[in-house]
Amino acid sequence: MPEGWSAGKSSRMEDTSKFPKSQPGNPGSQYLEDATLPPEPPGKTEPPSPLKPKRYWWKNWVIWAALASLSSGSVAFIAVTMLLKLPSAPNCPAIFWPLASASVRLYCAQVAANKQTAADLLKAIALVQALPDNHPLRLEANRSIEQWSQDVLALADEEFQAGRIEEAIALARKIPQNVPAYESIEAQISQWQSVWSEAEAIYKEVEAQLSEQRWHQAFMAAVRLLNVGNNYWATTKYAELNRLIETTRADANKLAKAQDLANSGGLDNLLKALKLAQSIGASSYIHQKAQDIIPAFGRQMLDLAQAALDRKEADEAIAIANQIPANTGLQAEAQDFVTLAEAWRSAWMNTIPSLEAAILTAQKIGLDRPSYSKAQELIARWQLEIEDVAHLDRARELSQGGTIGDLTAAITEAQLIPETNPRADEARQEIDSWRRQVETIEDRPYLDRAEELALPEDEASLQIAINEASQITRGRALYREAQRKIRRWTGQIERIQDQPYLDQARELASSGNLPAAIAAAQQIQPGRALSGEARAAINDWQGQIQARQNWRQARRIALVGTPDALVEAIRLANRVPANNPLRIDVNAAINQWSRVLLRIAQDRGAYDIPGGIAIAKQIPRSSDAYRVAQEQIATWEQFLNPANFKPASNLQPNN
């Protein structure tokens, strides 16, 4: 029934004054127990009024309520009943509910329920829930309560599907526990909680996969949200996870690129790597890994700075250290490094004032600083160096005179520096230099005198020069120079002694007596000055002897005249070296023997083509008959196998 009907009063069949309005301070509009209309006081008769028609029994709501309880029991029927009974629809907001009738409650409950809001549906349930269990309209009330409870549950499910599970549960539990469908409500809540827990577990699984950079596994886990049974998780959260996967993958690529840059080395690459790692935001699943790797990049920069300092390039080292970002956790260490680099820059000037300045700079590093211990070590080192520098300066002054006495005094002064002191290596180098100078001054006369003695270049004077230079012993400054001269003079003596043997051998070889020439040259022992020259001559003469033997044997075998004999003769003749004088005769003989082989092959081919081919193939490439032999072989092969014959295309001119 339209709510607007409650405004009409005089046009209805029955006076609505029997429905008491709520009074101030009276909770009549809330969910109270049902109360029937009070009876009229006895003996009191209401005067007739032209505006109020007389009541008739068939219009009494109690009768119709009883009839309604015996009929289908629908709310629509009650509404019709009320239309027949009431002159106007109740003004539901103004009703004093403790005195409201069951039909009024049902009517107002239906009006509220029709609004299909959670508050109105719960209000409708509360209105009719107050009916006694034995009330004639109780069955209909229960049906309505069950429907309205389902409607509330549907609205709660909408909250759940929208991602507001707490609100959904709170709304569902506003349904009274004594309604018939309450067990299904608790089951629905349990299902929501189960779905929500499953979705949250999937979300956490995706997060875990993202942290390990397993993109495919993360995506496959996220897809399961589509079937979890909740629109919010299947749409909003699924889209959120997809965005997370993409952004996390992009951040991982950034981090990988940063690592590659850092691995490439160099300050520019490290700065770029740091910038990339720092660009990964705190909300990224890669953020912690980026934060973990940033200190490593800073450490690499500090290593670069240290390498520059090791090369004594203090300015470059300081410039690198000053660029190390604070978020590497190395800021204090980098600041200390700069301080120590500045101290080193002073110390490298190698003067007492510069060492004192280095100490003052290093003392700026306090006890609470990370490099305090290192600074103290350097301070102790430089304090010792001040003493060492004083000794070295004094020693260098003494050495300036250049005499043996001056140099010896310089050595003595430098030896005051202990082996454990920082400048011990420098002192040792200076001492070695001054000792070499002393040895050179002492030994130079021996070497100069030996040079003079060796000038005549005869065996006796050379031997005297060797004896003089041999007085310079191993380890002395001029020892190597003396040994070089001794080797030269020894070689001159050996040449003087062995040259006659080599001259004699060459004379014998010129006369054709190669065995005697070899015997004469072999008198020169290995390792002597002319032994290499003698060995080369011996090898040449032995080669000539072998060539003659091969040539004689080849000619002897060729006289047999058979194909095999001719082939063997050609093989032996080819052993004669190309630079041997016999080679002219050898080449002529090989051409002649090859022509004989060709004739034999042609004769054999007249009755035995395979045999002729076999002989022709033995003709050497260097002979005049080679090309003719190859053409003959091609002719025979075409005759034997015309279908598969392929003409030879690799024939080359004779060599």
Side-chain angles (χ1 to χ4, degrees), residues 128-150:
V128 299
Q129 185 77 345
L131 292 176
D133 291 341
N134 59 356
H135 196 281
L137 295 179
R138 187 68 218 187
L139 183 60
E140 181 61 31
N142 287 344
R143 290 195 189 98
S144 297
I145 288 172
E146 183 174 358
Q147 179 59 51
W148 298 335
S149 297
Q150 293 300 322

Side-chain angles (χ1 to χ4, degrees), residues 384-533:
L384 289 175
E385 284 195 52
I386 289 175
E387 299 176 7
D388 296 347
V389 168
H391 288 304
L392 282 173
D393 288 347
R394 175 61 180 159
R396 286 168 180 144
E397 289 176 5
L398 291 170
S399 70
Q400 294 301 313
T403 66
I404 292 178
D406 296 332
L407 294 168
T408 302
I411 291 171
T412 302
E413 182 69 24
Q415 285 175 334
L416 295 175
I417 299 173
E419 288 292 329
T420 57
N421 276 27
R423 295 295 177 102
D425 289 342
E426 186 178 351
R428 192 178 304 109
Q429 292 173 3
E430 293 284 16
I431 290 169
D432 290 344
S433 174
W434 294 330
R435 279 178 175 167
R436 286 194 298 272
Q437 293 180 46
V438 170
E439 291 170 357
T440 299
I441 294 171
E442 292 174 343
D443 294 344
R444 177 57 64 186
Y446 295 112
L447 205 54
D448 291 344
R449 190 160 52 251
E451 287 279 6
E452 293 176 0
L453 291 170
L455 287 177
E457 294 190 2
D458 60 70
E459 186 175 347
S461 63
L462 289 169
Q463 187 59 53
I464 296 171
I466 291 171
N467 294 338
E468 186 71 17
S470 296
Q471 295 185 65
I472 301 174
T473 58
R474 183 184 299 275
R476 305 280 291 181
L478 296 180
Y479 176 76
R480 291 185 179 180
E481 184 180 351
Q483 291 300 306
R484 286 197 301 270
K485 293 182 182 297
I486 288 171
R487 286 194 295 271
R488 188 178 79 232
W489 296 331
T490 300
Q492 288 178 299
I493 291 174
E494 290 173 351
R495 285 188 178 87
I496 292 171
Q497 294 172 346
D498 293 342
Q499 190 65 48
Y501 298 121
L502 192 56
D503 293 343
Q504 180 187 10
R506 285 171 176 160
E507 289 178 4
L508 290 169
S510 298
S511 64
N513 191 353
L514 295 179
I518 291 172
Q522 285 176 339
Q523 296 181 73
I524 300 173
Q525 297 300 314
R528 291 177 66 83
L530 293 178
S531 61
E533 192 174 345

Side-chain angles (χ1 to χ4, degrees), residues 169 244 268 298 342 344 387 432 602:
I169 293 173
L244 279 176
D268 289 343
E342 291 172 346
W344 271 113
E387 299 176 7
D432 290 344
Q602 289 171 338

Side-chain angles (χ1 to χ4, degrees), residues 104-127:
V104 170
R105 285 177 177 272
L106 284 170
Y107 169 76
C108 289
Q110 185 63 52
V111 170
N114 286 342
K115 296 178 182 179
Q116 285 296 300
T117 68
D120 288 313
L121 287 166
L122 291 170
K123 181 178 179 181
I125 293 172
L127 283 173

Side-chain angles (χ1 to χ4, degrees), residues 267 271 298 300-306 308-309 314-326 328 330-339 341:
L267 179 60
L271 290 173
Q300 285 181 262
M301 290 183 66
L302 202 56
D303 291 342
L304 281 180
Q306 184 61 55
L309 193 63
D315 292 341
E316 181 181 348
I318 292 170
I320 294 172
N322 281 332
Q323 296 182 69
I324 297 175
T328 60
L330 300 172
Q331 193 66 14
E333 190 174 345
Q335 290 171 354
D336 288 356
F337 178 89
V338 170
T339 302

